[in-house]
Amino acid sequence: MKVTKAIIPAAGLGTRVLPASKSVPKEMLNIVDKPAIQYIVEEAVAAGITDILIITNRGKGVIEDHFDHSFELETKLQGNASKAHILEQVEACSNLANIYYIRQKETKGLGHAVLCAKSFVGNEPFAVMYGDDVIISEKPVVGQLMDAYDKYGCGVVGVKEVPRKDVPKYCTLDVTPLEDKTMKVHNIIEKPTPEQIMSCYSILGRVVMPPEIFELIEKTPADPKSGEVYFTDAMLDLAHRGLLNAVDFDGIRYDMGNKLGIMQANCEVALNHPEIGEDFKAYLKKLAATL
Ligand code: UTP
């Protein structure tokens, strides 16, 4: 069955980027001239996804405003021919896809956030695109995962190898090769100790799941320490049944949930930006010479 729905969990507290994320959701932090979440919505649309549910919470209404019309602004721009290209960009934000919203009323982890999408998804496979992971690629990464879902008919996680010292911040996967960049997943350990590392492959920002994942999340107990329901625990259940693959995707992922990630995203996107790319490159070269 073709994947046409995606959910974007964006209800986290963003404590690693405070105080920036105190009143501006981290998913709305800028990369040059667009908020992070717009890159994610554009990636979904480029992959053929038509319906997107964004999981928000109190204080994230600004996300809804961004994808809505801004009549006052648009009327003002309509009266100024020299700003036609800006008007086009502003209007495009509100016409990207069918975007829906639901609130996660308590911040109880990514698994709990995904479960909020159960009735939106129904009995179809769907994509989860983490709201603070922006991935720049030629072919949309979620589309790369959707291809693998079509081919094998089981859940797919997007993975990349991360430096060994960083694996304990993410998760570690036990995998065996299937073909090209696709692997079978046998085991996942969330936030492993250095001794538990099975490979340097970690799940980064995109997955495509069968609807059965909701039952597995419902059966997943909350972590006794943090009170959070870990999404990886439910995906591990799929792996144990032989129903989970991994795709080592082509693309560069930026973690907008940490300060260095935000700066790397801004720097690299600015270098390729049609309006400011050349000037920014010249500025960076000059700056680098002084370091
Ligand atoms: P993170 O664990 O990176 O988000 O979740 P966080 O909790 O905001 O991070 P820190 O540690 O406090 O800085 C990955 C994605 O899942 C969403 C987040 O908004 C982020 O886009 N999320 C996380 C939810 O929607 N709900 C949650 O309960 C937790």
Side-chain angles (χ1 to χ4, degrees):
M1 191 177 203
K2 201 168 159 339
V3 177
T4 61
K5 292 179 180 172
I7 66 172
I8 305 181
L13 297 178
T15 51
R16 286 166 297 149
V17 286
L18 281 168
S21 55
K22 189 177 169 203
S23 58
V24 176
K26 64 176 167 178
E27 296 80 8
M28 284 298 288
L29 294 176
N30 225 35
I31 304 179
V32 185
D33 53 4
K34 286 190 283 191
I37 197 162
Q38 187 175 336
Y39 289 86
I40 300 174
V41 168
E42 287 174 351
E43 178 193 331
V45 172
I49 281 169
T50 54
D51 293 84
I52 298 169
L53 177 73
I54 302 181
I55 320 279
T56 65
N57 63 14
R58 284 174 296 280
K60 302 225 179 187
V62 66
I63 298 178
E64 295 184 36
D65 293 343
H66 183 74
F67 293 109
D68 195 359
H69 280 289
S70 170
F71 285 106
E72 198 184 345
L73 182 63
E74 288 170 25
T75 311
K76 259 249 151 42
L77 290 170
Q78 272 157 10
N80 187 339
S82 69
K83 297 208 165 152
H85 64 291
I86 305 179
L87 174 65
E88 213 174 284
Q89 288 173 14
V90 169
E91 283 179 334
C93 295
S94 42
N95 295 321
L96 283 166
N98 300 319
I99 304 184
Y100 309 83
Y101 302 89
I102 192 166
R103 284 189 178 193
Q104 182 189 17
K105 295 186 185 109
E106 286 176 275
T107 313
K108 293 207 303 204
L110 187 54
H112 180 262
V114 172
L115 194 56
C116 296
K118 187 179 175 187
S119 58
F120 165 79
V121 168
N123 199 25
E124 297 175 28
F126 65 104
V128 183
M129 306 175 75
Y130 300 12
D132 56 356
D133 278 322
V134 169
I135 310 181
I136 306 289
S137 58
E138 241 169 66
K139 179 178 163 99
V141 168
V142 73
Q144 297 173 34
L145 270 51
M146 283 154 62
D147 288 349
Y149 189 93
D150 272 353
K151 181 156 186 192
Y152 293 96
C154 52
V156 190
V157 292
V159 300
K160 287 299 290 170
E161 280 190 292
V162 301
R164 201 172 175 87
K165 68 172 177 37
D166 291 336
V167 178
K169 286 193 261 173
Y170 300 100
C171 65
T172 176
L173 268 64
D174 176 21
V175 289
T176 47
L178 273 177
E179 58 154 343
D180 199 16
K181 293 192 155 225
T182 310
M183 296 162 271
K184 186 109 229 142
V185 181
H186 306 285
N187 195 8
I188 312 171
I189 301 175
E190 179 75 24
K191 303 211 166 39
T193 61
E195 300 71 42
Q196 287 175 315
I197 295 176
M198 301 176 287
S199 76
C200 290
Y201 282 115
S202 283
I203 302 172
L204 296 180
R206 303 288 179 268
V207 308
V208 173
M209 287 290 124
E212 290 75 27
I213 193 74
F214 291 114
E215 284 161 44
L216 301 178
I217 300 174
E218 279 163 342
K219 282 193 214 143
T220 303
D223 178 71
K225 262 202 211 141
S226 65
E228 295 199 355
V229 178
Y230 294 130
F231 189 32
T232 35
D233 285 350
M235 293 195 280
L236 176 61
D237 220 319
L238 275 187
H240 284 159
R241 293 164 197 222
L243 294 173
L244 191 69
N245 291 337
V247 168
D248 182 357
F249 60 76
D250 287 321
I252 304 176
R253 172 252 184 192
Y254 300 103
D255 181 1
M256 294 297 287
N258 86 60
K259 293 166 197 174
L260 184 62
I262 295 170
M263 291 316 298
Q264 288 166 333
N266 271 285
C267 208
E268 292 182 32
V269 172
L271 282 171
N272 292 312
H273 194 280
E275 235 173 272
I276 61 162
E278 283 309 311
D279 288 349
F280 186 65
K281 194 185 287 173
Y283 161 76
L284 258 195
K285 278 187 177 162
K286 208 167 151 198
L287 182 68
T290 69
L291 301 178

